[in-house]
Amino acid sequence: MKATGIVRRIDDLGRVVIPKEIRRTLRIRDGDPLEIYTEKDGEVIFKKYSPMGDLHEFAGRVCEAIAKNTGFPAAVCDRDSVIAAAGPGKKDLADRRLAQGVIHRLEDRSHYCFRGQGLPCPVLENGEQILGAAVPILSEGDLVGGILLLALPEKSKYPGEFDLRLIETVAGFLGRQLEG
């Protein structure tokens, strides 16, 4: 555990303020759910909660099926990082933080498909992989994550309409799985 040197007091309602610097670094936004853990030695640990984390194994199998059927590397992510990936370069994607451009596209709740024209969007912070397509995963109207396809610019290969429709269908399915 990393010490920050920041001390906060609990108010009369049991609330504690998480400093802005920590919220920004960990991408904790207003309304984000946090899990609370306690340790035997008296530590209290707050961890960002991701409903997508419960689907880790299933998301991995979904990624493998998408990658096999599209020919593109595929990833399932929560609102901040990749939780499962398949296809070439999957080890470079797993458990890595998403680039801000990807997060903004998912938060817009619109579908994105890059066809090789214009400025490409990197998938990860400080990453070289290029986003080919992205579809948000919505559960009960809330954004919980997304499905991503990576472009293969070295082969001049970009996702097409079929690929986008496939991940739209899978995103809808995953969103309904989280509701049940």
Side-chain angles (χ1 to χ4, degrees):
M1 192 168 9
K2 185 177 173 183
T4 63
I6 300 170
V7 176
R8 296 285 196 223
R9 295 198 182 280
I10 295 176
D11 70 10
D12 58 342
L13 295 175
R15 296 176 297 199
V16 63
V17 175
I18 299 172
K20 186 176 187 174
E21 302 81 31
I22 292 174
R23 292 192 320 262
R24 186 181 307 124
T25 302
L26 298 178
R27 295 182 177 171
I28 298 172
R29 301 181 256 326
D30 186 30
D32 280 353
L34 298 175
E35 283 185 282
I36 303 169
Y37 298 91
T38 58
E39 297 287 329
K40 290 180 182 175
D41 61 1
E43 291 181 52
V44 177
I45 300 167
F46 290 92
K47 183 178 176 188
K48 268 184 84 166
Y49 173 72
S50 171
M52 294 295 295
D54 298 338
L55 294 178
H56 185 354
E57 264 185 58
F58 183 65
R61 291 193 301 269
V62 165
C63 286
E64 288 174 16
I66 292 171
K68 182 179 177 183
N69 284 289
T70 64
F72 293 99
V76 173
C77 62
D78 61 16
R79 293 179 60 188
D80 295 305
S81 59
V82 175
I83 61 166
K90 74 177 184 179
K91 290 181 180 161
D92 296 332
L93 292 170
D95 299 320
R96 301 268 312 274
R97 289 172 60 132
L98 297 172
Q100 282 296 327
V102 176
I103 293 170
H104 291 309
R105 282 175 172 78
L106 294 174
E107 287 175 345
D108 287 344
R109 298 171 184 235
S110 59
H111 303 171
Y112 169 81
C113 196
F114 179 68
R115 300 242 167 42
Q117 285 120 20
L119 289 175
C121 176
V123 175
L124 305 172
E125 290 182 336
N126 306 319
E128 295 178 10
Q129 299 97 329
I130 301 299
L131 182 63
V135 174
I137 299 172
L138 303 174
S139 179
E140 298 178 356
D142 294 327
L143 174 67
V144 293
I147 299 183
L148 314 175
L149 290 179
L150 278 63
L152 299 170
E154 66 280 358
K155 296 180 181 179
S156 297
K157 196 172 171 192
Y158 303 94
E161 201 60 35
F162 166 79
D163 307 308
L164 187 61
R165 297 292 168 242
L166 175 64
I167 64 173
E168 285 173 352
T169 302
V170 174
F173 175 76
L174 287 175
R176 286 186 294 282
Q177 288 296 111
L178 290 168
E179 290 173 1

